Amino acid sequence: MMRFRLKIAQFNILIAHQTQVSSSKIYRVRCFQSGRFVCGGDQSSSIRHWSQSPTRVFGNRVSRSMKNEAQKALFDYLHHTRTLSFVDAEHISNNSPKFISSLLSKIDTRKEDISQSLTKFLRYNPINEFEPFFESLGLRPSEISRFLQRDLVLLSDDSVLFENFHALCNYGIPRSKIGCVYKEAREIFGYENGVLLSKLEAYERLGLGKPIVIKLVTYCPSLLVGGIDSEFVDVVGKLEGLDIACDWLGRYLSDRKTYNWGSVLETMELLEKMGFKDEKLSGVLKTYPDLVGETSGKKAYVMFDKLLKVGLEMNEIDKLVVDHPEMLLDKSVKSILAALKYMIRIRMEKQFIVRILQQHMKLICSTSLLGPKAVCSKLKIGREELHQTIKEDPLRLFSLASKTTKRRIELDSLDFRNAEKRAFLLKIGYVENSDEMVSALKRFQGRGDELQERFDCLVKAGLDYNVVTEVVKRAPHILSRPRDVIEKKIKLLTDYLGYPVESLVESPTYLCYSMERIHQRFSMYIWLRERDAVMPRLTLGTIVGISNTRFLSYFVNSHPEGPATWDSIKKSST
């Protein structure tokens, strides 16, 4: 642990010399009215979106082709007029749908040449480039206004922000996740050149791999603010002593949760006190990763206090936790406290409460209960009768009061062929009797054994099991392709294009395109790459996913010999 503390001290001294962020910058308002540029303005007025400026609005219906034309016009403006890189311009134009809609509202879409109309509009009506930029980073349109600065309209007006944005991109952080980073740790976008990269590398020096650091700072941007988080270092120190080491962080961190490293440390220490040491602690963390991240030691102690009051001894509580570690999950804690409250309200004797807790803890953890009043009203019985019913048959507590009974019936009524599929979904983390399970049964196409075979194919290709789990939950349709087709597409990606298999994580829909399209696009891209006519590591979504028109415009026609080569590639593949 001294080694980690020494690294923190050295790193913080380095940052103290490097970081010079100004927090006193004064801004003036720029806004656009009726297409004219206005400087200054009332300092007290609120910043309006460019899309809310009082230009003429047309209420015509917008089709998909119109949106494509608008995206192309915005791309041309950002790439050719404003000289943004191809990748930046493409990402912004393809991932700012709200801004695209506002652009279309400024012109008469009944005219045939929408692209020309928008090009002309953009020439005479400067836009606030930060609006589509922030939207493309994943910020919701309703959040954007509070991040618009008073005298910043062009992305080049804030070169420091753009440099730090590129530092995150180049390190490997997905562009669509950078909006969350900006929202939670805005100050890091004001760092001087090189500071942000040095912070990222400092976490690598703690023994964390680059993929883990990427995931960490994406889900916990506050780690990049100030010096290295000492509580996080203590967590890393504890994990290093276990056989799961720091890989556990990369596998089980989730963007659906927030992480307080003090609470994480508190929970790990609680587990150690409950008797979970070394291999046992590793096993629990692997099986129930949510224990760290959502469980607070304080909540667990509140639950223990309630269990002691109903008659359990501390050694009995220890045994319950060892046998059912899931009872420390936040959801389970709530269910246990609700069950205790239920039984106390119907005046259940303590010895019966203890017996139910010891015999049915797994059921209690997984069941949400209605209140006694609701159950009595539904059954038209009194509390004494309910008390006697549960006393005679404790399982009636769950069958009578469970909130999930309707959902369980709905699941059980599904065709028997879903049994294997349900087993597969349970294996990758879906919860039995949940709304997510019902939805997943419809979204995942194929038999359970086929889905498992295709899933295993991705794992055998070199992707981490938990990474594949996240990817298929995000894009379940990739498992609708036969295994041999998936294998061929992965081979094209790694052996022909020379990309790592991890590229699939960012662009999983690559597996959904035809072999012919993939081979043709890859062949053209490789040809251009060999002549330094394109960037060397464009994403799969850019190479394979863009339309044929845009591929011709921005790839094939980017080289004098491109059209002839493209024709040759297409002829040879037919």
Side-chain angles (χ1 to χ4, degrees), residues 15 24 128 130 205 209 233 252 353 363 376 387 400 443 459-460 470 533 541 556 568:
I15 295 303
S24 59
N128 187 328
F130 285 91
R205 288 195 290 273
V233 174
Y252 298 115
I353 295 178
L363 255 179
C376 289
H387 173 181
L400 294 176
R443 292 168 62 214
V459 175
K460 287 175 184 175
E470 288 186 11
V556 177
S568 175

Coordinates of all heavy atoms in Angstrom, one line a residue, residues 15 24 128 130 205 209 233 252 353 363 376 387 400 443 459-460 470 533 541 556 568:
I15 N 1.0 17.2 -11.1 CA -0.2 17.9 -11.5 C -0.2 19.3 -11.0 O -0.6 20.2 -11.7 CB -1.5 17.1 -11.1 CG1 -1.5 15.7 -11.8 CG2 -2.7 17.9 -11.4 CD1 -1.5 15.8 -13.3
S24 N -11.9 32.2 -14.1 CA -12.4 33.6 -14.0 C -12.7 34.2 -15.3 O -12.8 35.4 -15.5 CB -11.4 34.5 -13.2 OG -10.2 34.5 -13.8
N128 N -24.4 28.0 -34.0 CA -23.6 27.7 -32.8 C -23.1 26.3 -32.8 O -23.9 25.3 -32.6 CB -24.4 28.0 -31.5 CG -23.6 27.9 -30.2 OD1 -22.6 27.1 -30.2 ND2 -23.9 28.6 -29.2
F130 N -21.4 24.5 -31.0 CA -21.4 23.7 -29.8 C -22.7 22.9 -29.6 O -22.7 21.9 -28.9 CB -21.1 24.6 -28.6 CG -19.7 25.0 -28.5 CD1 -19.3 26.2 -29.1 CD2 -18.8 24.2 -27.8 CE1 -17.9 26.6 -29.0 CE2 -17.4 24.6 -27.7 CZ -17.0 25.8 -28.3
R205 N -0.3 3.4 -14.3 CA 0.9 3.0 -13.5 C 0.5 2.4 -12.2 O 1.4 1.8 -11.5 CB 1.7 4.3 -13.3 CG 2.5 4.8 -14.5 CD 3.6 5.8 -14.1 NE 3.0 7.0 -13.7 CZ 2.7 8.0 -14.5 NH1 2.8 7.9 -15.8 NH2 2.2 9.2 -14.0
G209 N -4.9 -1.9 -16.6 CA -4.8 -2.0 -18.1 C -5.6 -0.8 -18.7 O -6.5 -0.2 -18.1
V233 N -7.5 4.1 -4.7 CA -6.2 3.4 -4.6 C -6.3 2.3 -3.5 O -5.8 1.2 -3.7 CB -5.1 4.3 -4.3 CG1 -3.8 3.6 -4.0 CG2 -4.9 5.3 -5.4
Y252 N -17.0 -5.6 -14.4 CA -18.3 -5.4 -13.7 C -18.7 -4.0 -13.5 O -19.8 -3.7 -13.0 CB -18.2 -6.2 -12.3 CG -18.1 -7.7 -12.5 CD1 -16.9 -8.3 -12.0 CD2 -19.0 -8.4 -13.1 CE1 -16.7 -9.7 -12.2 CE2 -18.9 -9.8 -13.3 CZ -17.7 -10.4 -12.8 OH -17.6 -11.7 -13.0
I353 N -40.9 -15.6 12.8 CA -40.1 -14.7 11.9 C -38.7 -15.2 11.6 O -38.3 -15.3 10.5 CB -40.1 -13.3 12.4 CG1 -41.5 -12.7 12.5 CG2 -39.2 -12.4 11.6 CD1 -41.6 -11.3 13.1
L363 N -36.0 -16.7 -1.3 CA -37.3 -16.2 -1.8 C -37.5 -14.7 -1.3 O -38.0 -13.9 -2.1 CB -38.4 -17.1 -1.3 CG -39.0 -18.0 -2.3 CD1 -40.1 -18.9 -1.5 CD2 -39.6 -17.3 -3.4
C376 N -55.1 -8.2 2.7 CA -56.3 -8.4 3.4 C -57.5 -7.9 2.7 O -58.6 -8.6 2.6 CB -56.3 -7.7 4.8 SG -55.1 -8.5 6.0
H387 N -52.4 -13.8 9.5 CA -51.4 -14.3 10.4 C -51.4 -15.8 10.5 O -50.4 -16.5 10.4 CB -51.6 -13.6 11.8 CG -50.6 -14.1 12.8 ND1 -50.7 -13.6 14.1 CD2 -49.7 -15.1 12.9 CE1 -49.8 -14.2 14.9 NE2 -49.2 -15.1 14.1
L400 N -49.4 -15.1 -1.7 CA -50.5 -14.2 -1.5 C -50.0 -12.7 -1.7 O -50.9 -11.9 -2.1 CB -51.0 -14.3 -0.1 CG -51.7 -15.7 0.2 CD1 -52.2 -15.7 1.7 CD2 -52.9 -15.9 -0.7
R443 N -36.8 -9.9 -28.1 CA -35.8 -9.2 -28.9 C -34.7 -10.2 -29.4 O -34.2 -10.0 -30.5 CB -35.1 -8.1 -28.1 CG -36.0 -7.0 -27.8 CD -35.5 -6.0 -26.7 NE -34.2 -5.5 -27.1 CZ -33.2 -5.2 -26.3 NH1 -33.3 -5.5 -25.0 NH2 -32.1 -4.7 -26.8
V459 N -16.8 -15.1 -27.8 CA -15.9 -15.2 -26.7 C -14.6 -15.9 -27.2 O -13.5 -15.5 -26.8 CB -16.5 -16.0 -25.5 CG1 -15.5 -16.3 -24.4 CG2 -17.7 -15.3 -24.9
K460 N -14.8 -17.0 -28.0 CA -13.6 -17.7 -28.5 C -12.8 -16.9 -29.4 O -11.6 -17.1 -29.6 CB -14.1 -19.0 -29.2 CG -14.6 -20.1 -28.3 CD -15.2 -21.2 -29.1 CE -15.8 -22.3 -28.2 NZ -16.5 -23.4 -29.0
E470 N -22.4 -7.5 -22.3 CA -22.9 -6.1 -22.5 C -23.2 -5.8 -23.9 O -24.2 -5.1 -24.2 CB -21.8 -5.2 -22.0 CG -21.6 -5.2 -20.5 CD -20.6 -4.1 -20.0 OE1 -20.2 -3.2 -20.9 OE2 -20.2 -4.1 -18.9
A533 N -4.3 8.0 -48.1 CA -5.4 8.9 -48.6 C -6.5 8.9 -47.5 O -7.5 9.7 -47.7 CB -5.9 8.4 -49.9
G541 N -18.0 1.5 -38.1 CA -19.3 2.2 -38.4 C -19.1 3.2 -39.6 O -19.9 3.3 -40.4
V556 N -14.1 6.9 -52.1 CA -13.7 6.5 -53.5 C -13.2 7.7 -54.2 O -12.2 7.7 -54.9 CB -15.0 5.9 -54.2 CG1 -14.6 5.6 -55.7 CG2 -15.4 4.6 -53.5
S568 N -13.2 -1.9 -60.2 CA -12.5 -3.2 -60.3 C -12.8 -4.1 -59.1 O -13.0 -5.3 -59.3 CB -11.0 -2.9 -60.4 OG -10.2 -4.1 -60.3

